[in-house]
């Protein structure tokens, strides 16, 4: 039986992979992201897979955007069964050396906008008594890493929000709130991050594919769980962070500089924190090696 699925952040990375995965199942899709041209490309991909698709250009961080998206989904398909929120941005830099407005926008996009999405989705679900909200967290919602303070703070906040919503929905057995928390993922978010560190970021190995995370999201929609971790060493990192905090803190800085950053210099810039970029892709090229990642960065 097909469902109506809203996907925010649908033009690249995990969001685009998730749109393809639901389209392959024949679900009805409402796709939202900032870049209208790239959104049209994703819509065409999903239509070719046989799905019914509505594309709604949306900056989910703007006030009222989630409610407008909920109305568009209801007008198109009569309601929403699943809402998947994948939209996120990233910024690299020491906390005291990156612009305040960039830090604030990372938190606004990754946490405040996610809360607005959850509010709109849960109002719909509470009215009908059924629905599943899937939020995309991160292993960095359980551990910390230097030079990514805004992203870390927002993902810790998102995990707390998800847990609180799960508690509040206990009186609604048909309404589920799920959190999918990947580790390193092969997406363009690292190249497109704001950067005030002087070196382009990269996902530390081992790196999962965006399609693997998308499959976890689809499974969460089918069989909801409180939280699903995607990544071979997530449990090990969480163990070290919790049980051996002194050792973790001594190692995480050197490891971040060695495997979490490339050797490519970059001038300070805002990335896509405030504005979208054309040409979204599922992969950032990281699983194909560093040279592949450099080509992907130039092309994206």
């Amino acid at each position: 039986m097909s469902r109506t699925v809203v996907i925010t952040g649908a033009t690249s990375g995990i969001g685009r992979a998730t749109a393809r995965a639901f389209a392959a199942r024949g679900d009805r899709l409402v796709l939202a992201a900032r870049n209208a041209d790239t959104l049209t490309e994703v819509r065409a991909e999903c239509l070719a897979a046989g799905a019914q698709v509505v594309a709604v250009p949306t900056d989910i961080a703007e006030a009222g955007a989630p409610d407008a998206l909920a109305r568009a989904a209801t007008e198109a398909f009569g309601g929403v069964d699943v809402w998947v929120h994948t939209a996120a941005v990233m910024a690299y830099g020491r906390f005291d050396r990156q612009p305040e407005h960039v830090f604030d926008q990372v938190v606004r996009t990754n946490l405040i906008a996610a809360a607005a999405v959850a509010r709109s989705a849960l109002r719909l679900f509470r009215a009908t008594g059924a629905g599943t909200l899937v939020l995309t967290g991160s292993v960095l919602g359980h551990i910390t890493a230097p030079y990514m303070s805004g992203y870390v703070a927002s993902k810790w906040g998102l995990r707390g929000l998800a847990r609180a919503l799960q508690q509040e929905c206990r009186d609604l057995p048909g309404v589920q709130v799920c959190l999918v928390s990947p580790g390193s993922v092969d997406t363009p978010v690292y190249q497109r991050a704001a950067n005030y560190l002087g070196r382009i970021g990269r996902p530390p190995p081992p790196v999962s594919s965006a399609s693997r995370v998308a499959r976890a999201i689809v499974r969460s929609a089918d069989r909801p769980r409180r939280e699903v971790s995607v990544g071979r060493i997530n449990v090990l990192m969480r163990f070290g962070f919790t049980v051996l905090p002194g050792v973790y803190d001594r190692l995480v800085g050197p490891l971040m500089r060695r495997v979490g950053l490339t050797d490519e210099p970059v001038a300070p810039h805002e990335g896509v924190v405030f504005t979208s970029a054309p040409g979204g892709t599922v992969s950032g090229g990281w699983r194909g090696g560093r040279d592949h990642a450099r080509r992907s960065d130039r092309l994206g």
Side-chain angles (χ1 to χ4, degrees), residues 85-154:
H85 182 66
T86 69
V89 295
M90 187 183 291
Y92 287 97
R94 293 181 183 273
F95 172 71
D96 58 335
R97 296 181 185 175
Q98 63 177 284
E100 180 179 341
H101 69 286
V102 172
F103 177 94
D104 290 352
Q105 185 66 16
V106 170
V107 174
R108 184 175 297 110
T109 300
N110 297 358
L111 177 58
I112 305 304
V117 163
R119 189 176 297 113
S120 296
L122 290 178
R123 284 171 177 166
L124 286 176
F125 298 160
R126 186 173 287 274
T128 61
T132 301
L133 171 65
V134 183
L135 300 171
T136 308
S138 170
V139 69
L140 289 176
H142 291 270
I143 65 174
T144 60
Y147 317 128
M148 302 175 70
S149 55
Y151 190 84
V152 169
S154 63

